[in-house]
Amino acid sequence: MDTITRRNFVAGSAGLASLLALAGCNNGAPQAQAADDNLPADGDYPIDPDGDDVKAQWTSEKVRKDGWVRVTNPDGGATLGVMDEGKVIQVGGLAFRDMDGSGKLDLWEDWRQPAEKRAAALAEALTAEEIIPLMWHNGMMSANADLDEDSINTLKQGMRAGVSRASANEDSYADAIAWINAVQAWCEANDAHGIPYMNSTDPYQLYDIPDNHCLASTFNPIIWKKAGRYTGRAWRLTGARVNLGPQVDVGSNVLYCRMGGSICEDPATNRDLAKYFGGGMQSTWADDECTDDKGWGDESVALMFKHYVGAGAVEGGRNDHNDAGKFDIFPDDNFNAHLVPFLDGGLKLESSTGQMAAVMPNYGIAYSEDEKYGPNWGGAYNKRNLSILRNAGWDGMITTDWQILRATDFGDRAHGVKEFSEPERFKMLLESGVDQVGGDFAPEIGTEGYKLYEQQYGKDEALARVRESARHIFTVMNRVQLFDQPYSDRDRAAEVLKDEKAAAFAQEASNAAIVMLKNKGNIISKAGIAGKPKAYIPQKFDAGSMFNVETKFELAIDETVASELFDVVTDTVGEPTGSASPMSPGQTAPSEPITVYQASDCTRADAAQLKDCEYVVMVISSPDTGAGEGGSMFSNEPVPEDQKYLPISLQYRPYTAEVARNPSYAGDVVDGAKENRSYNGRSVSASNESDLDLLLSIREATPNAKIILIVEATNNAQCFHEIEPAADVILWSWASSGRNFGQAYGRILKGEVEPSGLLPCQMPKDMATVEESLEDVPRDLDCYTDSEGHTYDFTYGLNWSGVIDDDRVKTYSAPALREPECEVKPDED
């Protein structure tokens, strides 16, 4: 294995070589449809339909449960979906959707033509007035079959793309499908060109497959590919055609508070795992092993890699939704390392689809005093950095992150450009190359901004510019077959959502995502736990979330497994005494309050109950000290000066920053002086310090018990000096909402599954080393060493034999990449 490098790891690993052939920088483009001399020439369009004497080669059937008609063409031709059979025309014996109702076949309606060509033809047929309403990616309040008045008005104004946060699953898929089919039926009946609606989704989990962040510790590209395939197929069949992800930010600042949505801190790891996940999701696969690649097809979901670029190097680790986190900083000039997952991952997917379909620029400003990374404007406004993608041979759709054009009740996220008017901002987005504005719909502002662009560049250039965006948008729509078949089938979705193979894969992925950090004296092993010893398993409190306020208590491991392994002692949970107001996606105000559990509703076991316990199995969350400021991303209220910039701590006990950088690296110039955004000297406490108190109290009450500690990390690494000495065994994972984890811990304790996960981030020895690290440099910490002499470094993990030292470790523990393979070539101006 000495010849394996970070560049050729997957190709050189046993069992994976046949799945990867590394391509050159521009060789990852989607495969063009093979030339067909029998296709009509461009000048032949529009084409008259067949006469009555031409025999139909296609068939049709009513999808009765959903109300639309499925049209099947012969010999692998396109499958069509229409609500109105009058929208089907026949040419050469084949069926086509007459999207504009002209009674003739236009080039963009001809499914035999390449997706890019169809997109360009429709774009050229549209005026600027017709295109500008398409340049938004917002969403609608409706999430069911009955479109409300506001949604219909938005459709009438021309919006044709948005995110649904309904998160369709086995329980809710029917409503989600009824809603999206109603939207598509409205577009079919009312849009002058029949342009469909491009429905997207934020990443969410199905089948209890762990989320991407949790899967990082597998370091297994095949697991990632299958996760993309199973998840994407279900999303597609329930109406979502675009994934607003994956998030591939290189979390080089160990404090990065949004790391919980990304992969890890290492550029090469993010590159490899994202390219396989992307390949699994964008292609349609004929088999469960993801070896028979059909390319773009009826199970494909288009990817929108985010956040481009450098969000993981955010100053102070803070949330870039807010002003406090608006600067991404590169004190070691390591900006290019953050390009690796995009240029070498997104442009080289493990799929015949080749490249990511879309990109979402980040909120943050790639900061430098000399503007070497472009003007100090937010990512969507930075033409210099966006041009790197175009110059690397990428021709996809660029959709901004949400609400970067104008101020909202949630704040003004137009970082660096707030002195410009909203129409001027839209003009700047046109100049930077943006195709869609995310989380907004303001065509009147777009029209004013377009006029400003027209005044500077001329009418012809302005029209060509928005037609270019229309072409990018329509290409994505074509690749996911929206022009031909925009409807969803409830029967097919129900079948897929009950897929037993997907559920079995979810268990496999959960097993592989758990890291064993400590196993003092081989307390757990392949032999399992002998007998049925008495064990205290505390109740873990699940505090719910903004969209799921129904809190609960549950054991650390699956209750059935726990009862098989142990004579269980646990806490007493009383009646719920708390109150919370549910808020569903799309709601503008919370619903009436409901009664829910709160942490105080649980009475912990007393000393007498714990006296004879031989084991303790408990879950602890990583320290939570907030996002580095006193405000909230959901509030527009001003933040007090002494709360603007706070530390993010990786320890449970109160922390005061004493060696943080001062003055700050970045800052606005106000009245001729540079702002100091340092948090040095300020203090913060973990909201879950009680987790540490509980562990230490249990250790004191059970001095001879073997404590098995399950650490579920949220967004960041943590300092282990506070908890490791109290534990005999430590199992670690990124927190996942999947139910399989409680079972997976049990399978490890029973000896049925050998731990195989590796740490996807360094665990610092203390906060001093965190403060000394450079925000743009991955893996530059002094790491914690435990009582067994093991150092919690990147790619560290234990199995039954000891420290894991396999191909994954040999490869990814090599020095972190600083440059992508693709040439980094920004525009000069």
Side-chain angles (χ1 to χ4, degrees), residues 467-535:
R467 281 178 171 169
E468 182 77 351
S469 283
R471 180 179 67 81
H472 290 147
I473 296 166
F474 294 150
T475 296
V476 175
M477 285 184 168
N478 265 309
R479 293 203 187 286
V480 293
Q481 302 176 335
L482 279 169
F483 278 17
D484 300 319
Q485 208 305 70
Y487 296 101
S488 296
D489 181 340
R490 274 182 280 181
D491 285 339
R492 174 64 176 145
E495 175 188 346
V496 165
L497 287 168
K498 294 176 182 177
D499 186 352
E500 293 182 359
K501 290 184 178 179
F505 165 75
Q507 287 198 2
E508 173 194 342
S510 297
N511 295 341
I514 295 172
V515 185
M516 184 162 66
L517 298 180
K518 184 177 181 181
N519 189 18
K520 185 177 181 180
N522 295 323
I523 288 172
I524 61 174
S525 68
K526 187 176 181 178
I529 293 175
K532 196 173 182 181
K534 190 174 181 181

Side-chain angles (χ1 to χ4, degrees), residues 586-644:
Q587 277 186 263
T588 56
S591 302
E592 290 296 315
I594 62 173
T595 301
V596 298
Y597 283 109
Q598 54 186 345
S600 59
D601 294 329
C602 176
T603 302
R604 298 295 179 188
D606 59 28
Q609 292 172 291
L610 300 181
K611 181 179 178 182
D612 298 325
C613 289
E614 298 178 56
Y615 286 84
V616 174
V617 183
M618 70 172 292
V619 173
I620 191 170
S621 297
S622 58
D624 181 2
T625 62
E629 65 162 335
S632 165
M633 65 175 281
F634 298 109
S635 172
N636 205 16
E637 294 297 319
V639 180
E641 281 298 319
D642 64 350
Q643 295 291 304
K644 267 188 177 180

Side-chain angles (χ1 to χ4, degrees), residues 512-748:
I514 295 172
V515 185
M516 184 162 66
L517 298 180
K518 184 177 181 181
N519 189 18
K520 185 177 181 180
N522 295 323
I523 288 172
I524 61 174
S525 68
K526 187 176 181 178
I529 293 175
K532 196 173 182 181
K534 190 174 181 181
Y536 173 47
I537 307 182
Q539 292 285 333
K540 179 183 68 169
F541 179 58
D542 182 344
S545 66
M546 179 174 65
F547 294 137
N548 180 19
V549 298
E550 296 186 6
T551 58
K552 61 182 178 181
F553 288 92
E554 59 186 0
L555 296 182
I557 60 176
D558 179 76
E559 189 170 345
T560 301
V561 174
S563 63
E564 292 175 1
L565 285 169
F566 302 108
D567 176 12
V568 177
V569 174
T570 189
D571 307 314
T572 302
V573 177
E575 295 296 319
T577 60
S579 178
S581 297
M583 188 168 180
S584 300
Q587 277 186 263
T588 56
S591 302
E592 290 296 315
I594 62 173
T595 301
V596 298
Y597 283 109
Q598 54 186 345
S600 59
D601 294 329
C602 176
T603 302
R604 298 295 179 188
D606 59 28
Q609 292 172 291
L610 300 181
K611 181 179 178 182
D612 298 325
C613 289
E614 298 178 56
Y615 286 84
V616 174
V617 183
M618 70 172 292
V619 173
I620 191 170
S621 297
S622 58
D624 181 2
T625 62
E629 65 162 335
S632 165
M633 65 175 281
F634 298 109
S635 172
N636 205 16
E637 294 297 319
V639 180
E641 281 298 319
D642 64 350
Q643 295 291 304
K644 267 188 177 180
Y645 312 118
L646 298 175
I648 294 176
S649 174
L650 305 184
Q651 65 183 41
Y652 295 95
R653 296 305 185 204
Y655 170 69
T656 299
E658 297 177 345
V659 292
R661 184 184 290 120
N662 190 20
S664 60
Y665 186 89
D668 291 320
V669 176
V670 181
D671 297 329
K674 183 178 175 181
E675 172 194 22
N676 184 5
R677 299 161 63 92
S678 174
Y679 54 77
N680 200 50
R682 294 183 176 176
S683 302
V684 68
S685 297
S687 61
N688 61 332
E689 186 180 358
S690 59
D691 285 0
L692 173 61
D693 293 332
L694 177 61
L695 171 63
L696 297 181
S697 67
I698 292 172
R699 177 78 286 174
E700 183 178 0
T702 60
N704 298 318
K706 302 174 180 66
I707 294 184
I708 298 170
L709 184 64
I710 295 170
V711 180
E712 292 190 339
T714 50
N715 291 320
N716 305 106
Q718 71 183 91
C719 298
F720 268 83
H721 65 275
E722 296 169 305
I723 62 173
E724 180 272 326
D728 299 284
V729 175
I730 300 177
L731 300 176
W732 179 95
S733 73
W734 289 122
S736 170
S737 62
R739 292 175 300 221
N740 280 319
F741 265 59
Q743 298 173 4
Y745 297 132
R747 288 190 286 270
I748 289 174

Side-chain angles (χ1 to χ4, degrees), residues 101-146:
S102 67
K104 297 187 176 186
L105 179 65
D106 294 296
L107 193 157
W108 66 79
E109 298 167 337
D110 191 340
W111 47 261
R112 298 169 297 180
Q113 296 283 2
E116 303 92 332
K117 192 171 186 179
R118 295 176 69 185
L122 179 53
E124 287 299 311
L126 300 183
T127 65
E129 291 73 21
E130 292 172 313
I131 292 172
I132 288 170
L134 301 173
M135 298 181 67
W136 310 83
H137 198 115
N138 193 19
M140 292 189 281
M141 299 300 291
S142 292
N144 53 49
D146 299 322

Side-chain angles (χ1 to χ4, degrees), residues 172-250:
S172 64
Y173 74 92
D175 285 344
I177 287 176
W179 173 77
I180 190 59
N181 282 351
V183 173
Q184 301 296 14
W186 190 97
C187 295
E188 178 186 309
N190 296 282
D191 189 283
H193 301 280
I195 298 171
Y197 186 83
M198 182 163 55
N199 191 34
S200 65
T201 183
D202 285 326
Y204 70 95
Q205 294 163 258
L206 287 168
Y207 309 109
D208 288 319
I209 297 172
D211 61 27
N212 284 4
H213 193 41
C214 196
L215 286 178
S217 53
T218 69
F219 287 83
N220 186 325
I222 303 306
I223 284 180
W224 278 71
K225 177 176 271 192
K226 290 182 179 180
R229 186 264 178 153
Y230 283 123
T231 305
R233 179 182 62 168
W235 288 353
R236 169 67 180 264
L237 294 174
T238 53
R241 307 275 177 134
V242 177
N243 174 13
L244 301 184
Q247 182 179 337
V248 299
D249 303 335
V250 175

